């Protein structure tokens, strides 16, 4: 679900996402959070398809259960050049967060008449 500055995304559980120790791998959790941040940015500014992650900080709070993971993202600030987003990850069906993420997206600038892109 994508709303104005908010997004909720579900990552279906798969055995290949589980790392030794029986928990979902950190890179899978980071990818889910990053996708949720991007969706929240697009929910507020749909023309920002070229936005890119400029920072992502994750705090793993506890081991997720071997079920689907849910990311809930909320835009904290939308500037002209940067968007700051907060994400909480949950094991599906459990209201206690398993990770907290703060991230920043760099937003594309406005096109200027006569300007050219440098490859």
């Amino acid at each position: 679900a994508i709303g104005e500055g908010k997004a909720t995304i579900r990552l279906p559980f798969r055995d290949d996402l589980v790392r030794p120790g029986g928990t979902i791998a950190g890179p899978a959790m980071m990818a889910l959070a990053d996708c949720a941040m991007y969706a929240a940015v697009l929910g507020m500014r749909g023309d920002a398809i070229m936005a890119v992650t400029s920072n992502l900080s994750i705090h793993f709070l506890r081991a997720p259960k071997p079920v689907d993971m849910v990311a809930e993202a909320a835009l904290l600030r939308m500037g002209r050049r940067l968007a700051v987003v907060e994400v909480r990850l949950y094991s599906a069906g459990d209201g206690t967060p398993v990770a907290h993420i703060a991230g920043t997206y760099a937003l594309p600038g406005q096109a200027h008449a006569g300007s050219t892109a440098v490859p």
Side-chain angles (χ1 to χ4, degrees):
I2 298 176
E4 190 169 319
K6 296 185 183 268
T8 301
I9 297 180
R10 179 179 289 257
L11 174 67
F13 177 80
R14 295 189 336 235
D15 285 332
D16 62 337
L17 297 178
V18 176
R19 63 173 297 271
T23 187
I24 295 177
M29 294 168 65
M30 288 184 252
L32 174 60
D34 194 27
C35 289
M37 287 191 307
Y38 183 64
V41 169
L42 291 181
M44 183 58 97
R45 207 178 116 185
D47 66 336
I49 60 171
M50 295 303 291
V52 295
T53 309
S54 62
N55 183 296
L56 187 147
S57 176
I58 187 166
H59 296 273
F60 298 103
L61 304 174
R62 65 189 188 111
K65 296 176 181 171
V67 296
D68 292 0
M69 292 205 69
V70 177
E72 293 181 354
L75 197 63
L76 298 178
R77 182 179 187 282
M78 174 69 83
R80 288 182 298 130
R81 301 293 297 174
L82 295 174
V84 180
V85 187
E86 176 182 53
V87 181
R88 288 193 171 105
L89 298 184
Y90 300 89
S91 295
D94 188 343
T96 305
V98 299
H100 176 263
I101 298 91
T104 306
Y105 258 73
L107 304 172
Q110 300 294 326
H112 298 288
S115 67
T116 58
V118 178

Short mmCIF file of all heavy atoms in Angstrom, two decimals, residues 6-57:
data_model
loop_
_atom_site.label_atom_id
_atom_site.label_comp_id
_atom_site.label_asym_id
_atom_site.label_seq_id
_atom_site.Cartn_x
_atom_site.Cartn_y
_atom_site.Cartn_z
N LYS A 6 3.62 7.62 2.91
CA LYS A 6 3.61 6.37 3.68
C LYS A 6 3.61 5.19 2.72
O LYS A 6 3.13 5.29 1.60
CB LYS A 6 2.38 6.29 4.57
CG LYS A 6 2.34 7.36 5.64
CD LYS A 6 1.16 7.14 6.56
CE LYS A 6 1.09 8.25 7.56
NZ LYS A 6 1.78 8.00 8.78
N ALA A 7 4.11 4.07 3.20
CA ALA A 7 4.07 2.85 2.41
C ALA A 7 4.14 1.64 3.34
O ALA A 7 4.81 1.68 4.37
CB ALA A 7 5.23 2.81 1.42
N THR A 8 3.45 0.59 2.96
CA THR A 8 3.52 -0.69 3.65
C THR A 8 3.81 -1.75 2.60
O THR A 8 3.11 -1.82 1.59
CB THR A 8 2.20 -1.02 4.38
OG1 THR A 8 1.93 0.03 5.32
CG2 THR A 8 2.28 -2.34 5.11
N ILE A 9 4.85 -2.53 2.83
CA ILE A 9 5.27 -3.55 1.87
C ILE A 9 5.49 -4.85 2.62
O ILE A 9 5.99 -4.87 3.74
CB ILE A 9 6.58 -3.12 1.15
CG1 ILE A 9 6.33 -1.86 0.35
CG2 ILE A 9 7.11 -4.24 0.28
CD1 ILE A 9 7.54 -1.36 -0.39
N ARG A 10 5.13 -5.95 1.97
CA ARG A 10 5.28 -7.29 2.55
C ARG A 10 6.30 -8.08 1.74
O ARG A 10 6.25 -8.11 0.52
CB ARG A 10 3.94 -8.02 2.54
CG ARG A 10 4.01 -9.43 3.11
CD ARG A 10 2.64 -10.08 3.08
NE ARG A 10 1.75 -9.48 4.05
CZ ARG A 10 1.45 -10.03 5.23
NH1 ARG A 10 1.93 -11.21 5.56
NH2 ARG A 10 0.63 -9.43 6.05
N LEU A 11 7.22 -8.71 2.47
CA LEU A 11 8.19 -9.62 1.85
C LEU A 11 7.78 -11.04 2.20
O LEU A 11 7.82 -11.43 3.37
CB LEU A 11 9.61 -9.34 2.39
CG LEU A 11 10.70 -10.30 1.94
CD1 LEU A 11 10.96 -10.16 0.44
CD2 LEU A 11 11.98 -10.03 2.73
N PRO A 12 7.34 -11.82 1.19
CA PRO A 12 6.94 -13.21 1.47
C PRO A 12 8.12 -14.03 2.01
O PRO A 12 9.25 -13.91 1.52
CB PRO A 12 6.48 -13.74 0.12
CG PRO A 12 6.18 -12.53 -0.69
CD PRO A 12 7.15 -11.47 -0.21
N PHE A 13 7.84 -14.83 3.02
CA PHE A 13 8.88 -15.69 3.58
C PHE A 13 9.32 -16.72 2.55
O PHE A 13 8.51 -17.30 1.83
CB PHE A 13 8.36 -16.41 4.83
CG PHE A 13 9.38 -17.36 5.40
CD1 PHE A 13 10.41 -16.88 6.18
CD2 PHE A 13 9.32 -18.71 5.12
CE1 PHE A 13 11.37 -17.75 6.70
CE2 PHE A 13 10.26 -19.59 5.62
CZ PHE A 13 11.29 -19.11 6.42
N ARG A 14 10.63 -16.93 2.48
CA ARG A 14 11.22 -17.97 1.62
C ARG A 14 12.39 -18.58 2.38
O ARG A 14 13.13 -17.86 3.06
CB ARG A 14 11.73 -17.39 0.30
CG ARG A 14 10.66 -16.83 -0.59
CD ARG A 14 11.18 -16.46 -1.98
NE ARG A 14 12.59 -16.19 -2.06
CZ ARG A 14 13.13 -15.05 -2.54
NH1 ARG A 14 12.36 -14.07 -2.95
NH2 ARG A 14 14.44 -14.89 -2.59
N ASP A 15 12.58 -19.88 2.23
CA ASP A 15 13.67 -20.56 2.91
C ASP A 15 15.03 -20.00 2.53
O ASP A 15 15.95 -19.99 3.35
CB ASP A 15 13.64 -22.06 2.62
CG ASP A 15 12.53 -22.78 3.39
OD1 ASP A 15 12.16 -22.30 4.47
OD2 ASP A 15 12.04 -23.80 2.89
N ASP A 16 15.17 -19.52 1.28
CA ASP A 16 16.48 -19.02 0.86
C ASP A 16 16.81 -17.64 1.46
O ASP A 16 17.92 -17.14 1.28
CB ASP A 16 16.62 -19.00 -0.66
CG ASP A 16 15.63 -18.08 -1.35
OD1 ASP A 16 14.56 -17.79 -0.78
OD2 ASP A 16 15.92 -17.66 -2.49
N LEU A 17 15.89 -17.03 2.21
CA LEU A 17 16.16 -15.76 2.89
C LEU A 17 16.66 -15.99 4.33
O LEU A 17 17.03 -15.04 5.01
CB LEU A 17 14.91 -14.88 2.94
CG LEU A 17 14.36 -14.42 1.60
CD1 LEU A 17 13.09 -13.61 1.81
CD2 LEU A 17 15.39 -13.62 0.84
N VAL A 18 16.65 -17.26 4.78
CA VAL A 18 17.04 -17.59 6.14
C VAL A 18 18.54 -17.83 6.19
O VAL A 18 19.09 -18.54 5.36
CB VAL A 18 16.26 -18.81 6.66
CG1 VAL A 18 16.72 -19.22 8.04
CG2 VAL A 18 14.77 -18.52 6.65
N ARG A 19 19.17 -17.21 7.17
CA ARG A 19 20.61 -17.38 7.35
C ARG A 19 20.85 -18.42 8.44
O ARG A 19 19.91 -18.77 9.18
CB ARG A 19 21.26 -16.05 7.71
CG ARG A 19 20.77 -15.47 9.04
CD ARG A 19 21.54 -14.24 9.45
NE ARG A 19 22.93 -14.52 9.69
CZ ARG A 19 23.44 -14.90 10.84
NH1 ARG A 19 22.67 -15.01 11.90
NH2 ARG A 19 24.72 -15.16 10.96
N PRO A 20 22.09 -18.89 8.59
CA PRO A 20 22.38 -19.80 9.69
C PRO A 20 21.95 -19.18 11.02
O PRO A 20 22.16 -17.99 11.25
CB PRO A 20 23.90 -19.97 9.63
CG PRO A 20 24.23 -19.73 8.18
CD PRO A 20 23.26 -18.66 7.73
N GLY A 21 21.33 -19.95 11.85
CA GLY A 21 20.78 -19.45 13.10
C GLY A 21 19.27 -19.32 13.03
O GLY A 21 18.61 -19.06 14.01
N GLY A 22 18.72 -19.48 11.81
CA GLY A 22 17.27 -19.53 11.64
C GLY A 22 16.57 -18.20 11.52
O GLY A 22 15.34 -18.15 11.59
N THR A 23 17.30 -17.12 11.33
CA THR A 23 16.65 -15.81 11.20
C THR A 23 16.75 -15.31 9.76
O THR A 23 17.58 -15.78 8.99
CB THR A 23 17.28 -14.78 12.17
OG1 THR A 23 16.52 -13.58 12.13
CG2 THR A 23 18.72 -14.50 11.82
N ILE A 24 15.90 -14.39 9.40
CA ILE A 24 15.93 -13.82 8.05
C ILE A 24 17.20 -12.98 7.92
O ILE A 24 17.56 -12.22 8.82
CB ILE A 24 14.66 -13.00 7.77
CG1 ILE A 24 13.45 -13.96 7.79
CG2 ILE A 24 14.76 -12.26 6.45
CD1 ILE A 24 12.12 -13.30 7.60
N ALA A 25 17.87 -13.12 6.81
CA ALA A 25 19.15 -12.45 6.57
C ALA A 25 19.00 -10.93 6.58
O ALA A 25 18.03 -10.38 6.05
CB ALA A 25 19.74 -12.92 5.23
N GLY A 26 19.99 -10.27 7.17
CA GLY A 26 20.01 -8.82 7.24
C GLY A 26 19.90 -8.14 5.88
O GLY A 26 19.15 -7.16 5.75
N PRO A 27 20.62 -8.61 4.84
CA PRO A 27 20.49 -7.95 3.54
C PRO A 27 19.07 -7.99 2.97
O PRO A 27 18.63 -7.05 2.33
CB PRO A 27 21.46 -8.74 2.65
CG PRO A 27 22.50 -9.23 3.59
CD PRO A 27 21.74 -9.56 4.85
N ALA A 28 18.32 -9.06 3.26
CA ALA A 28 16.92 -9.12 2.81
C ALA A 28 16.09 -8.09 3.55
O ALA A 28 15.23 -7.42 2.97
CB ALA A 28 16.35 -10.53 3.03
N MET A 29 16.36 -7.91 4.84
CA MET A 29 15.64 -6.92 5.63
C MET A 29 15.98 -5.50 5.16
O MET A 29 15.10 -4.64 5.08
CB MET A 29 15.97 -7.12 7.12
CG MET A 29 15.45 -8.44 7.66
SD MET A 29 16.08 -8.89 9.30
CE MET A 29 15.38 -7.62 10.31
N MET A 30 17.25 -5.27 4.83
CA MET A 30 17.66 -3.96 4.33
C MET A 30 17.01 -3.66 2.98
O MET A 30 16.57 -2.53 2.73
CB MET A 30 19.17 -3.87 4.23
CG MET A 30 19.85 -3.78 5.58
SD MET A 30 21.63 -3.56 5.42
CE MET A 30 22.20 -5.15 5.95
N ALA A 31 16.93 -4.66 2.12
CA ALA A 31 16.30 -4.46 0.81
C ALA A 31 14.82 -4.13 0.97
O ALA A 31 14.29 -3.24 0.29
CB ALA A 31 16.48 -5.71 -0.05
N LEU A 32 14.14 -4.83 1.88
CA LEU A 32 12.73 -4.54 2.15
C LEU A 32 12.56 -3.11 2.64
O LEU A 32 11.69 -2.37 2.17
CB LEU A 32 12.19 -5.54 3.17
CG LEU A 32 10.76 -5.30 3.66
CD1 LEU A 32 9.76 -5.36 2.51
CD2 LEU A 32 10.41 -6.30 4.75
N ALA A 33 13.40 -2.68 3.57
CA ALA A 33 13.32 -1.33 4.10
C ALA A 33 13.58 -0.29 3.01
O ALA A 33 12.88 0.72 2.92
CB ALA A 33 14.32 -1.15 5.24
N ASP A 34 14.57 -0.54 2.17
CA ASP A 34 14.90 0.39 1.10
C ASP A 34 13.75 0.52 0.11
O ASP A 34 13.40 1.63 -0.31
CB ASP A 34 16.18 -0.06 0.39
CG ASP A 34 16.78 1.01 -0.50
OD1 ASP A 34 16.58 2.22 -0.23
OD2 ASP A 34 17.47 0.65 -1.46
N CYS A 35 13.13 -0.58 -0.24
CA CYS A 35 11.96 -0.54 -1.14
C CYS A 35 10.82 0.25 -0.51
O CYS A 35 10.13 1.03 -1.19
CB CYS A 35 11.50 -1.95 -1.48
SG CYS A 35 12.61 -2.84 -2.58
N ALA A 36 10.60 0.07 0.79
CA ALA A 36 9.53 0.79 1.48
C ALA A 36 9.83 2.29 1.52
O ALA A 36 8.92 3.12 1.35
CB ALA A 36 9.35 0.24 2.89
N MET A 37 11.10 2.65 1.73
CA MET A 37 11.47 4.07 1.72
C MET A 37 11.19 4.69 0.36
O MET A 37 10.62 5.78 0.26
CB MET A 37 12.95 4.26 2.07
CG MET A 37 13.27 4.01 3.52
SD MET A 37 14.94 4.52 4.04
CE MET A 37 15.99 3.70 2.86
N TYR A 38 11.60 3.99 -0.69
CA TYR A 38 11.39 4.49 -2.06
C TYR A 38 9.90 4.65 -2.34
O TYR A 38 9.46 5.67 -2.89
CB TYR A 38 12.04 3.52 -3.05
CG TYR A 38 11.96 3.93 -4.49
CD1 TYR A 38 12.58 5.09 -4.94
CD2 TYR A 38 11.29 3.15 -5.42
CE1 TYR A 38 12.53 5.47 -6.28
CE2 TYR A 38 11.23 3.51 -6.75
CZ TYR A 38 11.85 4.66 -7.18
OH TYR A 38 11.80 5.03 -8.50
N ALA A 39 9.10 3.68 -1.91
CA ALA A 39 7.65 3.76 -2.13
C ALA A 39 7.04 4.95 -1.39
O ALA A 39 6.16 5.64 -1.91
CB ALA A 39 6.99 2.46 -1.70
N ALA A 40 7.52 5.22 -0.16
CA ALA A 40 7.01 6.36 0.60
C ALA A 40 7.36 7.68 -0.09
O ALA A 40 6.54 8.60 -0.15
CB ALA A 40 7.56 6.35 2.02
N VAL A 41 8.56 7.76 -0.64
CA VAL A 41 8.97 8.96 -1.38
C VAL A 41 8.09 9.14 -2.61
O VAL A 41 7.57 10.23 -2.87
CB VAL A 41 10.47 8.89 -1.78
CG1 VAL A 41 10.83 9.99 -2.78
CG2 VAL A 41 11.35 9.00 -0.54
N LEU A 42 7.86 8.06 -3.35
CA LEU A 42 7.01 8.15 -4.55
C LEU A 42 5.57 8.46 -4.18
O LEU A 42 4.86 9.12 -4.95
CB LEU A 42 7.08 6.86 -5.36
CG LEU A 42 8.41 6.59 -6.06
CD1 LEU A 42 8.33 5.29 -6.85
CD2 LEU A 42 8.82 7.73 -6.96
N GLY A 43 5.13 8.01 -3.01
CA GLY A 43 3.78 8.33 -2.55
C GLY A 43 3.57 9.81 -2.30
O GLY A 43 2.47 10.32 -2.39
N MET A 44 4.66 10.50 -2.01
CA MET A 44 4.58 11.93 -1.78
C MET A 44 4.92 12.72 -3.04
O MET A 44 4.33 13.74 -3.32
CB MET A 44 5.55 12.33 -0.65
CG MET A 44 5.48 13.80 -0.30
SD MET A 44 3.85 14.33 0.20
CE MET A 44 4.04 14.23 1.95
N ARG A 45 5.88 12.20 -3.79
CA ARG A 45 6.33 12.91 -4.98
C ARG A 45 6.55 11.90 -6.11
O ARG A 45 7.66 11.40 -6.31
CB ARG A 45 7.63 13.67 -4.67
CG ARG A 45 7.81 14.88 -5.55
CD ARG A 45 9.05 15.64 -5.23
NE ARG A 45 9.90 15.54 -6.41
CZ ARG A 45 11.12 16.00 -6.48
NH1 ARG A 45 11.67 16.58 -5.46
NH2 ARG A 45 11.81 15.87 -7.57
N GLY A 46 5.49 11.61 -6.82
CA GLY A 46 5.52 10.58 -7.86
C GLY A 46 6.47 10.86 -9.01
O GLY A 46 6.82 9.96 -9.75
N ASP A 47 6.92 12.11 -9.15
CA ASP A 47 7.84 12.44 -10.23
C ASP A 47 9.29 12.14 -9.86
O ASP A 47 10.19 12.33 -10.66
CB ASP A 47 7.71 13.92 -10.61
CG ASP A 47 8.16 14.87 -9.51
OD1 ASP A 47 8.14 14.46 -8.32
OD2 ASP A 47 8.52 16.01 -9.82
N ALA A 48 9.54 11.62 -8.66
CA ALA A 48 10.90 11.40 -8.18
C ALA A 48 11.39 9.98 -8.48
O ALA A 48 12.09 9.38 -7.66
CB ALA A 48 10.98 11.70 -6.69
N ILE A 49 11.06 9.46 -9.65
CA ILE A 49 11.44 8.07 -9.96
C ILE A 49 12.95 7.87 -10.00
O ILE A 49 13.43 6.77 -9.83
CB ILE A 49 10.80 7.57 -11.27
CG1 ILE A 49 11.23 8.42 -12.46
CG2 ILE A 49 9.29 7.54 -11.14
CD1 ILE A 49 10.82 7.86 -13.79
N MET A 50 13.71 8.94 -10.17
CA MET A 50 15.17 8.84 -10.21
C MET A 50 15.79 9.07 -8.83
O MET A 50 17.01 9.18 -8.71
CB MET A 50 15.74 9.82 -11.23
CG MET A 50 15.34 9.49 -12.66
SD MET A 50 15.80 7.83 -13.20
CE MET A 50 17.57 8.01 -13.25
N ALA A 51 14.99 9.13 -7.78
CA ALA A 51 15.51 9.28 -6.42
C ALA A 51 16.39 8.08 -6.08
O ALA A 51 16.11 6.96 -6.51
CB ALA A 51 14.36 9.41 -5.42
N VAL A 52 17.44 8.32 -5.31
CA VAL A 52 18.36 7.24 -4.93
C VAL A 52 18.65 7.28 -3.44
O VAL A 52 18.64 8.34 -2.82
CB VAL A 52 19.69 7.31 -5.72
CG1 VAL A 52 19.46 7.08 -7.20
CG2 VAL A 52 20.40 8.63 -5.48
N THR A 53 18.92 6.12 -2.88
CA THR A 53 19.28 6.02 -1.47
C THR A 53 20.62 6.71 -1.26
O THR A 53 21.59 6.41 -1.94
CB THR A 53 19.42 4.55 -1.05
OG1 THR A 53 18.26 3.84 -1.44
CG2 THR A 53 19.64 4.42 0.44
N SER A 54 20.67 7.64 -0.30
CA SER A 54 21.96 8.26 0.02
C SER A 54 22.44 7.83 1.41
O SER A 54 23.61 7.98 1.72
CB SER A 54 21.89 9.78 -0.09
OG SER A 54 20.97 10.31 0.83
N ASN A 55 21.54 7.29 2.23
CA ASN A 55 21.92 6.81 3.55
C ASN A 55 20.88 5.83 4.03
O ASN A 55 19.69 6.03 3.81
CB ASN A 55 22.02 8.00 4.53
CG ASN A 55 22.47 7.57 5.90
OD1 ASN A 55 21.80 6.82 6.57
ND2 ASN A 55 23.62 8.06 6.31
N LEU A 56 21.34 4.76 4.70
CA LEU A 56 20.43 3.80 5.32
C LEU A 56 21.11 3.28 6.57
O LEU A 56 22.22 2.78 6.51
CB LEU A 56 20.14 2.64 4.36
CG LEU A 56 19.07 1.66 4.83
CD1 LEU A 56 18.30 1.12 3.63
CD2 LEU A 56 19.65 0.51 5.62
N SER A 57 20.45 3.47 7.71
CA SER A 57 20.96 3.00 8.99
C SER A 57 19.92 2.07 9.59
O SER A 57 18.76 2.44 9.73
CB SER A 57 21.21 4.20 9.91
OG SER A 57 21.61 3.75 11.19
#
